[in-house]
Amino acid sequence: MRSIYRLFFLSIVLFTSVSLVYSQETSKEEKRTLKKARKFLANEDFLAAQTNYLKLLTLNSKDPVYNFEGGLSYYFTDFEQSKSVPLFEAALENSTQDTIPELYYYLARAYHINGDFEKSKEAFAHFKPFVKTSTKSGQELMKQSDYYIKISDNGNNYLANKNENTIIKNLGVGINSSYGEYAPIMKKNEQALLFTSRRKNGTSKKLDTDLLPYEDIFVAKLVNNNWQLITDKAELEKYIPKDLNTKKHDAGVVYSSDGNTLYTYKNDLIWKSILENGKWSNLVELDKNINSSQYNIPSVNLSKDGNTIYFVSTRKDGFGGKDIYKSLKSEDGKWNVAENLGD
């Protein structure tokens, strides 16, 4: 995502010169605010950028540049990305002269994230004629555009055939925050939910390089039909090992089908803990056939009998980027050499 961001960011300056009548009437304060906003945007401090772009939009709500760049400050965050849509739309509506082609790209992606699949396809249709397929970057953009159009079609097909008996319900403020919550896993028959979040009240008080808090694992339980975070340490240790969260990234992955083994992610590796006599063991790395110090292993899943593990990894023998691999457990309990699942 960030490679696309850096590829397009220089276009912002061009957009300013062709689309904005940047007159001498602009106040010094407004110019200073724009300079700060762009500095924050370039440094990927998106929250600070948002504050400054919202200030600019109170001064001039129809300015196409403020709306476009303000939209970018939301689009590149890990939460509240949908807020980029009205800003991109306003930028497009108020582009009275030349319209920056990249605006169509970001609007198309934002529509897709928001579930507006037809609007996404329409925006990509406007964007594709501007792509220079004679260049490598242009070929990659065209490939991406076609891919997102295809998955928008998949989204439409899903919506047309969705099971009306399936209900999607927000679990509420007891679990959800303004930060990202994801990778939920249930502990069988215990109405307990593990999930990963990047929120300010986590174990680490420092921020990662993307200026967001480090990941921590949280546990919630269903009480009187409402989900509530478990904060009592003794209660927590029923579901996760003691002192599981560290000052770096820690994420929940999966329980075994019997609920007695927990697999977690940290240090770009998969670890496991076993529930024995009511206590979770210390975390132990999985075999080197699964883990490698060179390749990120972001997720795993297990067969019901626990003898086959599937995981995602970027490896030299792969087809490019992340691939799915599987490994079988040998009689001595170790994992065999992983096999790529192929094309």
Side-chain angles (χ1 to χ4, degrees):
M1 184 176 75
R2 287 176 183 164
S3 62
I4 295 293
Y5 168 71
R6 291 193 172 96
L7 178 66
F8 286 169
F9 184 70
L10 290 178
S11 300
I12 294 172
V13 178
L14 175 63
F15 184 48
T16 303
S17 65
V18 298
S19 299
L20 176 67
V21 181
Y22 219 38
S23 69
Q24 296 170 344
E25 297 176 2
T26 306
S27 68
K28 290 182 179 180
E29 180 186 358
E30 191 171 343
K31 290 178 180 178
R32 282 196 299 267
T33 304
L34 179 59
K35 186 177 180 180
K36 285 198 298 184
R38 284 179 166 168
K39 183 178 180 180
F40 287 128
L41 188 61
N43 291 333
E44 301 181 13
D45 187 349
F46 300 120
L47 296 179
Q50 289 168 14
T51 299
N52 283 275
Y53 281 115
L54 290 176
K55 184 177 179 180
L56 289 167
L57 287 167
T58 60
L59 299 173
N60 189 347
S61 62
K62 294 185 178 181
D63 189 294
V65 176
Y66 298 167
N67 279 289
F68 174 57
E69 296 179 22
L72 290 177
S73 71
Y74 282 101
Y75 175 84
F76 286 108
T77 57
D78 290 330
F79 53 94
E80 296 188 318
Q81 289 177 295
S82 62
K83 289 186 176 181
S84 65
V85 171
L87 295 174
F88 289 150
E89 289 178 334
L92 186 62
E93 181 182 350
N94 292 290
S95 297
T96 55
Q97 300 179 35
D98 294 334
T99 299
I100 183 172
E102 287 82 357
L103 174 53
Y104 286 117
Y105 174 88
Y106 287 119
L107 182 58
R109 291 289 295 116
Y111 277 143
H112 184 271
I113 291 169
N114 215 33
D116 294 327
F117 302 124
E118 284 302 319
K119 288 183 178 180
S120 177
K121 290 170 61 178
E122 183 180 344
F124 271 122
H126 286 294
F127 172 68
K128 287 176 67 175
F130 293 101
V131 179
K132 295 181 179 180
T133 54
S134 58
T135 66
K136 189 174 181 178
S137 60
Q139 293 167 10
E140 179 61 28
L141 278 174
M142 185 63 76
K143 183 179 177 180
Q144 282 192 21
S145 299
D146 290 337
Y147 168 74
Y148 287 124
I149 290 171
K150 180 180 178 180
I151 61 175
S152 287
D153 286 332
N154 291 343
N156 280 327
N157 291 336
Y158 166 76
L159 291 176
N161 297 285
K162 69 179 181 180
N163 187 336
E164 296 298 334
N165 295 320
T166 301
I167 299 172
I168 298 174
K169 180 181 178 182
N170 191 304
L171 296 190
V173 296
I175 289 182
N176 291 312
S177 70
S178 60
Y179 290 85
E181 283 81 36
Y182 46 89
I185 55 173
M186 291 289 295
K187 194 166 194 307
K188 190 176 180 180
N189 300 327
E190 295 194 37
Q191 296 296 302
L193 176 72
L194 268 67
F195 64 95
T196 303
S197 181
R198 304 185 70 177
R199 53 179 69 180
K200 285 185 176 180
N201 61 342
T203 304
S204 178
K205 305 308 176 187
K206 295 182 179 180
L207 303 180
D208 197 1
T209 54
D210 60 3
L211 302 175
L212 288 173
Y214 285 94
E215 294 172 312
D216 271 343
I217 297 171
F218 294 83
V219 186
K221 200 166 184 177
L222 194 59
V223 179
N224 297 326
N225 213 30
N226 289 311
W227 287 98
Q228 298 177 6
L229 283 181
I230 298 175
T231 56
D232 179 75
K233 288 187 177 181
E235 182 72 9
L236 277 173
E237 289 173 17
K238 294 179 181 180
Y239 307 102
I240 58 176
K242 184 179 180 181
D243 299 324
L244 173 61
N245 289 318
T246 66
K247 292 183 178 180
K248 296 295 183 178
H249 288 295
D250 301 279
V253 179
V254 70
Y255 281 112
S256 58
S257 61
D258 61 11
N260 292 330
T261 305
L262 173 64
Y263 294 84
T264 67
Y265 167 84
K266 70 172 183 174
N267 299 333
D268 285 341
L269 301 171
I270 297 299
W271 304 65
K272 73 174 181 179
S273 174
I274 300 174
L275 184 63
E276 298 175 314
N277 300 319
K279 288 190 175 184
W280 290 96
S281 67
N282 293 330
L283 291 176
V284 177
E285 291 181 31
L286 264 61
D287 302 346
K288 290 299 182 183
N289 283 334
I290 308 300
N291 282 322
S292 169
S293 60
Q294 299 178 2
Y295 306 109
N296 167 286
I297 315 287
S299 59
V300 301
N301 214 325
L302 296 165
S303 60
K304 188 174 181 180
D305 62 12
N307 292 324
T308 306
I309 190 169
Y310 299 87
F311 63 94
V312 176
S313 183
T314 303
R315 296 188 169 196
K316 291 180 180 178
D317 65 345
F319 288 80
K322 296 184 179 75
D323 283 354
I324 303 175
Y325 292 79
K326 77 172 183 179
S327 174
L328 303 178
K329 186 182 288 185
S330 59
E331 292 182 359
D332 62 3
K334 295 183 179 180
W335 294 105
N336 291 317
V337 175
E339 170 192 350
N340 190 302
L341 291 191
D343 58 5

